[in-house]
Amino acid sequence: MSFNQQKKEKYTEVNSQVDKLDASQSPELKSLFLMLNKNSENNIVLNLEKTKYCDSSGLSAILIGNRLCKDSGGKFVLAGLQPNVKKLVEISQLHNVLNIVGSSKEASALFES
């Protein structure tokens, strides 16, 4: 499995196990976000520590997760962006739209308040 999930007290953490988040991996991530949303999981942290590359289909999957959480009154957080992925997010101006933190530990602090 390319992504695993871990239910925390106030959110679900999705950990990417892939080196590249591209057209071959993004459908699985989109399906996971849809399943979580259907199960009323509307607070999600996507941890991309292990992902060194992302393309437009990967960004699309991330945006779907963000929209599903937002539409259901929850919060979507990206954590652990590697330099190349972070650069793509910034070039795409998505750092203005997404909640981005350095680590999953920082992400958990966002759900404490």
Side-chain angles (χ1 to χ4, degrees):
M1 189 166 199
S2 303
F3 304 94
N4 62 42
Q5 60 187 15
Q6 188 175 10
K7 178 77 175 114
K8 307 281 185 166
E9 187 178 336
K10 297 183 180 182
Y11 65 95
T12 298
E13 184 171 342
V14 175
N15 292 291
S16 172
Q17 303 301 314
V18 297
D19 197 39
K20 295 180 178 181
L21 181 53
D22 56 17
S24 64
Q25 303 297 334
S26 57
E28 182 183 339
L29 184 58
K30 288 178 187 179
S31 296
L32 179 58
F33 287 150
L34 288 166
M35 184 200 70
L36 289 171
N37 184 259
K38 187 176 179 184
N39 293 333
S40 300
E41 299 289 337
N42 57 2
N43 290 322
I44 297 173
V45 173
L46 176 58
N47 185 344
L48 293 175
E49 289 177 343
K50 295 181 179 176
T51 303
K52 295 177 177 68
Y53 172 82
C54 181
D55 69 5
S56 60
S57 62
L59 287 180
S60 173
I62 290 168
L63 288 172
I64 286 172
N66 186 57
R67 181 178 49 83
L68 289 170
C69 289
K70 197 173 272 188
D71 289 352
S72 58
K75 189 183 290 188
F76 182 84
V77 181
L78 270 180
L81 295 185
Q82 297 302 306
N84 286 341
V85 178
K86 187 174 184 179
K87 189 175 183 180
L88 179 65
V89 167
E90 289 171 353
I91 288 170
S92 305
Q93 296 289 304
L94 294 176
H95 61 290
N96 297 321
V97 176
L98 300 168
N99 292 314
I100 301 172
V101 295
S103 68
S104 55
K105 188 174 184 177
E106 288 176 58
S108 70
L110 294 176
F111 295 98
E112 297 305 316
S113 52

